[in-house]
Amino acid sequence: MNRNRILVLAGALFAALVPIGAWAFFKPVRIIAPQLNGVTCVDSVCVDDMAALPAAQQLHSDARSNVARKLRPLRVPPRTVFCSTRACYESFGGIGRGITVLHLGVVIPPESWQTYIVEHEFIHMLQAQELGLRGRERTPAWFKEGMPFFVSAPPSFDLPDYARPLVGQYAAWERRVGRENVWTEFGGR
């Protein structure tokens, strides 16, 4: 077998194994094709229990509307997986109260089916839309996490202790620059 043929075969094998490895070992990538992970999607809303679809669609709609009203609209409705079991959530690599996977989508665990939590995750999607993924990751924690907590306004009992100083920093900064300028201050669109 000549050298070029070996390189082509090795490249093909590598190209086939990378997606398989990503699917197996980096579970959040499953948001790309959530149906392959056992959920059913209707437009941009996915559920593991079809009986929960109307509630999930309402949460998705309410959170999108709130983000648009408070900040600006998301150009594309975020693909959102609403899990009714922890097993579903963990199968997408979920930890904590919700995850935003790059600019690809959001996964919500059963205990987080609250408009303000979905809104929080959608604000992360908006940050990626307005600043780009790299721009969002370069922002300080008080912006990256303070903004979603502040703008989504969870009840005080549901605001984690670690978030309180971030919210305070973000709120003070926003008061100074004005909500209408938050994106341009960080080089956004």
Side-chain angles (χ1 to χ4, degrees):
M1 200 179 266
N2 70 27
R3 185 176 184 332
N4 286 342
R5 192 170 189 181
I6 291 171
L7 287 174
V8 168
L9 286 174
L13 181 62
F14 180 76
L17 290 178
V18 166
I20 292 168
W23 190 267
F25 299 108
F26 184 65
K27 292 179 180 181
V29 79
R30 296 174 182 184
I31 194 77
I32 294 170
Q35 298 91 332
L36 297 177
N37 204 41
V39 299
T40 302
C41 299
V42 176
D43 298 321
S44 56
V45 177
C46 306
V47 292
D48 59 338
D49 175 4
M50 284 301 288
L53 182 63
Q57 289 172 318
Q58 189 63 56
L59 280 167
H60 190 273
S61 176
D62 291 349
R64 278 189 68 214
S65 295
N66 289 348
V67 169
R69 181 175 45 79
K70 294 176 183 180
L71 292 166
R72 65 173 54 161
L74 285 153
R75 288 187 206 104
V76 177
R79 175 179 293 134
T80 308
V81 176
F82 288 90
C83 290
S84 61
T85 67
R86 284 301 294 183
C88 167
Y89 186 58
E90 291 166 3
S91 77
F92 283 93
I95 56 171
R97 310 246 352 242
I99 57 170
T100 300
V101 183
L102 304 171
H103 62 291
L104 302 172
V106 170
V107 185
I108 303 293
E111 65 276 11
S112 294
W113 287 41
Q114 300 291 329
T115 303
Y116 61 89
I117 294 175
V118 179
E119 187 179 331
H120 175 111
E121 298 305 327
F122 285 6
I123 293 168
H124 285 305
M125 296 291 290
L126 184 64
Q127 289 172 332
Q129 171 186 299
E130 296 303 314
L131 303 174
L133 286 174
R134 196 169 181 188
R136 178 182 74 182
E137 291 310 308
R138 288 182 170 174
T139 61
W142 62 261
F143 184 87
K144 193 178 317 164
E145 285 297 331
M147 172 192 259
F149 278 115
F150 179 71
V151 174
S152 66
S156 61
F157 71 83
D158 213 8
L159 181 64
D161 288 339
Y162 79 87
R164 292 177 191 280
L166 302 175
V167 167
Q169 285 179 280
Y170 176 81
W173 176 80
E174 185 187 273
R175 276 192 303 276
R176 193 173 74 253
V177 302
R179 184 165 285 179
E180 68 280 0
N181 299 314
V182 297
W183 305 113
T184 55
E185 286 291 314
F186 274 102
R189 299 169 197 135

